[in-house]
Amino acid sequence: MSIEVVRLHPERSDLGYAFGGREPLLTVKPGTVVELTTEDCFGGAVRGVDDLPSRVCEFPYLNPVTGPIAVEGAEPGDTVAVHFVDIRPTRDWAVSTTFPHFGALTTTHTTAMLHDALPERVWVYDVDVDRGVCRFHARQGDFEVELPLDPMHGTVGVAPAAGEVIMSITPGAHGGNMDTPEMRAGTTAYFGVNVPGALISIGDGHCRQGEGEVCGTAVEAAMSTVIVVDLIKGASTAWPRLEDDEFLMSTGSARPLEDAFRISQHDLVGWTADLLGLDALDAYQLVSQAGLAPAGNVVDTNYTMLAKLPKAILSGAVVFDGVHSRLRAAGARYQSERG
Amino acid sequence: MSIEVVRLHPERSDLGYAFGGREPLLTVKPGTVVELTTEDCFGGAVRGVDDLPSRVCEFPYLNPVTGPIAVEGAEPGDTVAVHFVDIRPTRDWAVSTTFPHFGALTTTHTTAMLHDALPERVWVYDVDVDRGVCRFHARQGDFEVELPLDPMHGTVGVAPAAGEVIMSITPGAHGGNMDTPEMRAGTTAYFGVNVPGALISIGDGHCRQGEGEVCGTAVEAAMSTVIVVDLIKGASTAWPRLEDDEFLMSTGSARPLEDAFRISQHDLVGWTADLLGLDALDAYQLVSQAGLAPAGNVVDTNYTMLAKLPKAILSGAVVFDGVHSRLRAAGARYQSERG
Amino acid sequence: MSIEVVRLHPERSDLGYAFGGREPLLTVKPGTVVELTTEDCFGGAVRGVDDLPSRVCEFPYLNPVTGPIAVEGAEPGDTVAVHFVDIRPTRDWAVSTTFPHFGALTTTHTTAMLHDALPERVWVYDVDVDRGVCRFHARQGDFEVELPLDPMHGTVGVAPAAGEVIMSITPGAHGGNMDTPEMRAGTTAYFGVNVPGALISIGDGHCRQGEGEVCGTAVEAAMSTVIVVDLIKGASTAWPRLEDDEFLMSTGSARPLEDAFRISQHDLVGWTADLLGLDALDAYQLVSQAGLAPAGNVVDTNYTMLAKLPKAILSGAVVFDGVHSRLRAAGARYQSERG
Amino acid sequence: MSIEVVRLHPERSDLGYAFGGREPLLTVKPGTVVELTTEDCFGGAVRGVDDLPSRVCEFPYLNPVTGPIAVEGAEPGDTVAVHFVDIRPTRDWAVSTTFPHFGALTTTHTTAMLHDALPERVWVYDVDVDRGVCRFHARQGDFEVELPLDPMHGTVGVAPAAGEVIMSITPGAHGGNMDTPEMRAGTTAYFGVNVPGALISIGDGHCRQGEGEVCGTAVEAAMSTVIVVDLIKGASTAWPRLEDDEFLMSTGSARPLEDAFRISQHDLVGWTADLLGLDALDAYQLVSQAGLAPAGNVVDTNYTMLAKLPKAILSGAVVFDGVHSRLRAAGARYQSERG
């Protein structure tokens, strides 16, 4: 049986800037492969060091997302799975910037201080997909260095609960702008469904990012991305979960950062208890000794932490009947068919 | 030239419970190897599942440290380096526990709530140093799993500034109970000197711990540890820094967790700018794309975050004239001499 | 010239549960008096101690608001003023409750812990408008005490920026569920306009509340309320501001609570500098010595702090050309006309 | 029976800079009146607008305290009461300043950012004790305004538990630098005793301060202060509590600010339950509707929140057998005897 493949290449006028409040651009059956393209977080408007975002971008038309994609049969109380088969920068350059009142080491509108904003500055990276690197050029002096490409999407999620419409820059229980480097090819993301169709949107591709995304932006790039979408009926998922070949990952997005940490760890403890049939305190103990806890972002309107557990210690327990392996295999099949 | 080696095996009555306020147990020259032993964070009093810490331990006699060790010639404004050559559990068991009002997923005396405390529970791990594993046994049911040993010290630091005496459970600018798994053999830790002799103390050995140490304790063990101590004159270090063969690491210990993150990232940005001769914004950009940001602890009286940068991108720049490599070599020489 | 008076008594099916995303129920000219009614935060469903909210209410149909009310001529970049003339409980009882995972001294979905939820409990208060008191009855034992009525609205705001639709339980830059006792009769609230008409909604009447609203709910009551609405063209307002006869008040709603504090103080410093023609640091100094800083709520999805400055030190400077005094006078005229 | 009165006028060399780690300067019986003097937080070194604290003060010789005063018979597990009879500025001027990296609206060493420090600036106030006012002069322009005197002590506490020595700038469970305007004449402060004698120290007089002390310093003044000290045997007090004629007040000092709020509210709920014989949830409910929650400081190494309950609703219940009234009466007697 061949895999169904559909394409979603939105026009600029079709881009979204929020989760919720929008009709689907596309409806797909569970199991479908979607080839899609995304613009960068500046809508492609920052193309050189003189294109200051505060001048060339217009609030709130920032962080455009491609979607929503409706999944047939998805109802509140279900979970949708989004497996990333491929994420590939479409240009040979990418950009990063400081932006007034945005970032972890600057006064912001929330951490409000009497300082003037830090200077706004743009960095243009050379991107070489074949060699798998992007090149940083210092703006002062001539320091340069190549960094490995590790393409990912900062923004992936579904329509929120309670009819809310949430700017694409905000991460939360619906996913959104979690800005974690773990959202790379090979990862399956699980989201609880809040509205019929789930309404998945994806954007904010990064050639790579550090954990925490401390200056506020990553190596921002337009992407050509392939996903496989699936549906798990009757399984609710309170906060986005990720899975790759090595790790289970829970996310939490909140402020202060310790609450993001608490949400993610609480979720991972419950997940571990469920998978292994453990008492909550036993799972708490096991996660405490075996888990990892990297920052996603510490700059957005909510901060994101991840809680990771190596699958090696799960004694073979599998999530949702092995959906990650199945989607990974489907992705491989798609890739071998495309050549 | 042979390396000077000294031993420090404190009696129970010689253990300390704070940083500051104590005369040195030992004074060493820069470059000395110190073989020392540490008790576990319960002072060895928790030896079975019925030894509830709240019963067998007495506040404030928790988290004992070995030391202080004075470094000859160390003065305020200098930096001491502590390189970990070896950290080895001394018993074939280790323990972890929940403790009333301690941990990230429970009401505490600070995050004060109206809930009763979570149940207090002890887990005893089998430790097999030769095979490099410790074994977790669930308290409810019969789940068991082996976890890799990754021995480290939760608590390492120097006497604080301003004449303060700070409980050994608190991390801060003086180091202390940072509870990061990065404090393992092969790592060099740098601390700014606040008092003559610096007064290094070490304790809280862990067979391993997850990032965040979410339940409040790791796989706690008495350790036999070998360090090499060195002194960098005229170099101040505001917050503890770590270095291993692969990474530079800045630490921040504070509340809320985003302030721990900010301190660590701010320090790493400054460190990177200094090493590479970069403008602050260029360093901010580079760290944003290349850095890692794991949690240390999110349970102690201050929380700890790490900011890590791969040394591969430093174009050969070295810290303090290469002290890490020198101490690593000295450690290797010591080990080959000991057989 | 007589004052225009209109009424807004929405049917249950006309109640809103969010700011944004809704057509106006009513459009009024600046200067209009609006007589309106609001349901309590439980939609009137909690009427006795056995009506546990988790049973009789259905998420997300909580915290209903009356509105939106469009103001003719209001455009983004303007400010609307809402002056409270009268707020009067419509029943001789009111209720308060604990609610699972809601409140400052309990585990929540954000400050996620392993505790079971605190017990859910309902308190019914007797309300005596004529005597100006409400009576608390302990649920265990027979302690009773009368507390003064101090009627106010927890939830007042406008449609948010960027097309967002935000649950009525959340406070933010658009106002919303700030839950401050200062929103009482005699107060004028200023909101920046984000969409044509501003789209004011009001709900969540409280017979009284403590600062911080620590258990999560106040003495909740349906209200009969009279407001006067006005429009200040060309004046932007970043965060809601309040004014009464004695104080200027800035608000900040965010997490952690110190960011709510920072926003409110930063705003008050700027406001003071503008009104008195002071340098920012002089205004910072003056606010530091003369200001008050009470909590609004520390339980909602964002926390709210207020920054208050006594108008006595303003040397006669007035806000928006004296709009508060004008609206207060209009309210008095309305009241004398109604008898 | 006449009241015992003793004096404590420390030399500059006798001033302390920490809580803990020091022998008492004075030992008094319970019930003793102590007339004491305190220097301002700058040690009197800032006397004009050109005396920038970073130049004329030397870290850590900031925020000097007078004491410690030992109370005869005080043992761990007891509570000491400090009633303020009179607090009077000793000079006809006072000062306030910004200080680099200190304050709520600036980058600090903890909320670390890449901004340069805000400008350091000194304001000198005229103090007129007879008229009960201090006068603010803007540094830019000629704005001036009189503010009412409301003299208080920012720093009051006892030696901490666990042998810690804590800089006088830090508030905590031992009291210390809480910086609340409630610490004025007429208030009784209760502290749990951690070491024999309790070891009370007092400093940091303010002619007045705003809630939150947002710029980091108040209207700082040397004071002549009269206290009455008392001892309550066998009563422990976890966090400092205050009482005046109108209110019970619990304090919490921690970060983030919501934890300071939680501590103070948790303590007040427990206190209310104890005094009125209420179930914890009933007390939670009552405090939620009747309590006040002003900020103390949001600038020190820990932030301080207060939780206040009007004594009018206590149905006559009294604290510690009426010690506040007795000390107030003793103070009045002392004042009438002194004329």
Side-chain angles (χ1 to χ4, degrees), chain D:
Chain D
M1 188 191 102
S2 104
I3 303 169
E4 186 160 4
V5 179
V6 298
R7 290 189 187 167
L8 180 57
H9 300 294
E11 297 298 307
R12 179 161 302 269
S13 59
D14 281 336
L15 294 173
Y17 297 90
F19 287 85
R22 256 191 131 211
E23 294 302 306
L25 293 186
L26 180 72
T27 299
V28 300
K29 288 193 175 56
T32 303
V33 168
V34 184
E35 300 171 345
L36 56 86
T37 54
T38 61
E39 240 316 342
D40 69 30
C41 71
F42 304 109
V46 178
R47 308 177 76 89
V49 296
D50 296 325
D51 293 332
L52 298 187
S54 67
R55 249 186 267 147
V56 301
C57 299
E58 184 195 0
F59 176 82
Y61 302 106
L62 286 168
N63 207 37
V65 288
T66 293
I69 301 168
V71 181
E72 278 186 29
E75 295 292 332
D78 298 340
T79 289
V80 289
V82 179
H83 177 76
F84 288 88
V85 178
D86 194 39
I87 305 174
R88 193 175 299 257
T90 61
R91 298 171 182 138
D92 63 359
W93 55 270
V95 291
S96 188
T97 78
T98 51
F99 190 86
H101 301 104
F102 196 68
L105 302 184
T106 172
T107 174
T108 68
H109 295 298
T110 308
T111 307
M113 298 183 166
L114 293 173
H115 299 281
D116 292 333
L118 292 178
E120 189 173 5
R121 197 159 293 171
V122 174
W123 289 262
V124 180
Y125 286 76
D126 309 316
V127 175
D128 187 330
V129 172
D130 293 338
R131 292 183 49 240
V133 295
C134 57
R135 176 171 285 271
F136 165 79
H137 305 264
R139 290 293 311 277
Q140 307 278 343
D142 52 11
F143 180 82
E144 295 186 8
V145 69
E146 280 187 347
L147 303 174
L149 284 185
D150 185 11
M152 45 146 291
H153 281 283
T155 308
V156 186
V158 295
E164 285 201 307
V165 176
I166 299 178
M167 282 196 297
S168 61
I169 208 173
T170 300
H174 69 290
N177 196 30
M178 296 181 284
D179 281 323
T180 166
E182 303 292 353
M183 200 71 85
R184 58 170 67 88
T187 293
T188 305
Y190 304 108
F191 301 95
V193 177
N194 300 303
V195 303
L199 301 184
I200 300 160
S201 294
I202 297 177
D204 192 24
H206 299 162
C207 290
R208 66 170 290 114
Q209 71 159 87
E211 291 170 352
E213 207 187 10
V214 60
C215 81
T217 56
V219 183
E220 309 286 341
M223 293 289 175
S224 173
T225 292
V226 181
I227 60 173
V228 199
V229 171
D230 211 346
L231 176 63
I232 299 109
K233 291 296 294 180
S236 65
T237 296
W239 284 88
R241 290 174 170 177
L242 309 183
E243 182 179 0
D244 65 14
D245 290 357
E246 269 191 274
F247 288 99
L248 302 184
M249 295 172 256
S250 291
T251 69
S253 295
R255 290 187 177 202
L257 190 58
E258 54 260 44
D259 274 359
F261 175 84
R262 286 177 179 126
I263 292 167
S264 65
Q265 296 286 334
H266 182 270
D267 188 80
L268 185 60
V269 167
W271 198 5
T272 303
D274 286 350
L275 283 172
L276 294 178
L278 289 180
D279 166 80
L281 286 184
D282 278 326
Y284 189 30
Q285 172 62 213
L286 186 56
V287 165
S288 296
Q289 310 316 340
L292 300 177
N297 89 81
V298 193
V299 292
D300 295 328
T301 47
N302 284 321
Y303 305 142
T304 300
M305 289 293 290
L306 266 74
K308 300 174 62 173
L309 197 73
K311 291 161 74 171
I313 67 168
L314 291 181
S315 306
V318 294
V319 174
F320 294 144
D321 215 16
V323 64
H324 169 71
S325 301
R326 280 201 313 278
L327 294 180
R328 204 181 191 321
R333 198 141 38 99
Y334 160 85
Q335 287 183 307
S336 74
E337 284 177 11
R338 299 290 128 160

Side-chain angles (χ1 to χ4, degrees), chain C:
Chain C
M1 187 191 101
S2 106
I3 304 168
E4 186 161 4
V5 179
V6 299
R7 291 190 186 165
L8 181 57
H9 301 294
E11 297 299 306
R12 180 163 301 270
S13 59
D14 281 336
L15 294 172
Y17 297 90
F19 287 85
R22 257 188 130 214
E23 292 304 304
L25 294 186
L26 181 72
T27 299
V28 300
K29 288 194 174 56
T32 303
V33 169
V34 185
E35 300 170 343
L36 56 89
T37 54
T38 61
E39 240 316 342
D40 69 30
C41 70
F42 305 108
V46 178
R47 308 177 77 89
V49 295
D50 296 325
D51 293 333
L52 298 187
S54 66
R55 250 185 266 150
V56 302
C57 298
E58 184 195 0
F59 178 82
Y61 301 106
L62 285 168
N63 207 36
V65 288
T66 292
I69 301 167
V71 182
E72 278 186 31
E75 294 293 331
D78 298 340
T79 289
V80 288
V82 179
H83 177 76
F84 288 89
V85 179
D86 194 38
I87 304 174
R88 192 174 301 256
T90 61
R91 300 174 182 135
D92 62 0
W93 55 269
V95 291
S96 189
T97 78
T98 52
F99 190 84
H101 300 105
F102 196 68
L105 302 185
T106 173
T107 173
T108 68
H109 295 298
T110 308
T111 307
M113 297 184 167
L114 293 174
H115 300 281
D116 292 333
L118 291 179
E120 189 173 6
R121 196 159 293 172
V122 174
W123 289 262
V124 180
Y125 286 75
D126 309 317
V127 175
D128 187 331
V129 171
D130 292 337
R131 292 182 50 237
V133 295
C134 57
R135 176 171 286 268
F136 165 78
H137 306 265
R139 290 294 311 276
Q140 307 280 343
D142 51 10
F143 180 83
E144 296 186 8
V145 68
E146 281 186 345
L147 304 174
L149 284 184
D150 185 11
M152 45 149 288
H153 281 284
T155 309
V156 186
V158 295
E164 285 201 306
V165 176
I166 299 178
M167 281 196 298
S168 62
I169 209 174
T170 300
H174 68 291
N177 195 30
M178 295 181 285
D179 281 323
T180 166
E182 303 292 354
M183 199 72 85
R184 59 170 67 88
T187 294
T188 304
Y190 305 108
F191 302 95
V193 177
N194 301 302
V195 302
L199 301 186
I200 300 161
S201 295
I202 298 178
D204 192 24
H206 298 163
C207 290
R208 65 171 290 114
Q209 71 158 89
E211 291 170 353
E213 208 188 7
V214 59
C215 82
T217 55
V219 184
E220 308 287 341
M223 294 289 177
S224 173
T225 292
V226 180
I227 61 174
V228 198
V229 171
D230 211 346
L231 175 64
I232 300 108
K233 291 297 295 180
S236 65
T237 296
W239 284 88
R241 290 173 172 178
L242 308 183
E243 181 178 2
D244 64 15
D245 291 356
E246 270 191 273
F247 288 98
L248 302 183
M249 296 173 256
S250 291
T251 69
S253 295
R255 289 187 177 203
L257 191 57
E258 55 259 43
D259 274 359
F261 174 85
R262 286 178 180 125
I263 292 167
S264 64
Q265 297 286 334
H266 183 270
D267 187 80
L268 185 59
V269 166
W271 198 5
T272 303
D274 285 351
L275 283 172
L276 295 179
L278 290 181
D279 166 79
L281 286 184
D282 278 326
Y284 189 30
Q285 172 61 211
L286 185 56
V287 166
S288 296
Q289 310 315 340
L292 299 177
N297 89 82
V298 193
V299 293
D300 295 328
T301 46
N302 283 322
Y303 304 142
T304 301
M305 289 293 291
L306 267 74
K308 300 173 63 172
L309 196 74
K311 290 161 74 171
I313 68 170
L314 292 180
S315 304
V318 294
V319 174
F320 293 144
D321 214 17
V323 65
H324 169 72
S325 302
R326 280 202 313 277
L327 294 180
R328 203 181 191 321
R333 201 143 33 101
Y334 159 85
Q335 287 183 307
S336 74
E337 285 177 8
R338 297 290 129 159

Side-chain angles (χ1 to χ4, degrees), chain B residues 17-57:
Chain B
Y17 297 89
F19 287 85
R22 258 190 130 213
E23 293 304 305
L25 294 186
L26 180 72
T27 299
V28 300
K29 289 193 173 57
T32 303
V33 168
V34 184
E35 300 171 345
L36 56 86
T37 55
T38 61
E39 241 316 341
D40 69 30
C41 71
F42 304 110
V46 178
R47 309 177 74 90
V49 295
D50 296 326
D51 294 332
L52 298 187
S54 66
R55 250 186 264 147
V56 301
C57 300

